[in-house]
Amino acid sequence: MPKRILTGTVTSDKTDKTVTVLVERRVKHPLYGKIIKRSKKYHAHDEQNEYVVGDKVRIEETKPVSKTKTWAVKDRLVASRGTAVEADLEVAEATPGTAD
């Protein structure tokens, strides 16, 4: 039986070697026919702790690693844009009495 592969966004990386991935899918409402979003969170194994919140990743079904983890992160599709950048900005003080 082939392993399922899903695409989602990392929502939490606080636990060691584990990330939480939110997978969204679109389904048609059975009565009204409108397309609606359904989502589910999966715990996925991340051996090197390399994935951060906001990354779009692919996860693959595996044998159970723990009680709640039966998925493993396969690869990163899009990196997160939420990475902090350290900037050293120096602001010149304005002298009193001068108009800018």
Side-chain angles (χ1 to χ4, degrees):
M1 185 163 113
K3 296 179 181 179
R4 291 186 294 168
I5 296 176
L6 301 175
T7 303
T9 306
V10 176
T11 57
S12 174
D13 61 350
K14 294 180 187 236
T15 53
D16 188 34
K17 297 185 180 181
T18 303
V19 291
T20 303
V21 180
L22 179 74
V23 176
E24 286 188 340
R25 60 189 177 93
R26 295 170 184 254
V27 295
K28 191 173 185 179
H29 190 280
L31 179 61
Y32 301 116
K34 182 178 178 178
I35 303 297
I36 53 178
K37 288 182 187 176
R38 294 285 182 222
S39 61
K40 187 172 179 183
K41 289 183 179 179
Y42 296 94
H43 293 288
H45 188 65
D46 174 19
E47 186 65 37
Q48 282 83 30
N49 290 320
E50 59 185 306
Y51 300 102
V52 295
V53 175
D55 287 350
K56 286 191 90 59
V57 295
R58 287 193 309 167
I59 57 175
E60 180 180 42
E61 195 173 30
T62 61
K63 66 179 185 176
V65 180
S66 70
K67 180 180 175 182
T68 58
K69 274 198 300 190
T70 57
W71 296 83
V73 179
K74 190 167 184 170
D75 59 354
R76 179 184 291 126
L77 299 175
V78 178
S80 135
R81 296 176 209 239
T83 55
V85 176
E86 189 74 29
D88 292 328
L89 299 176
E90 295 193 24
V91 179
E93 293 184 26
T95 56
T98 58
D100 289 335

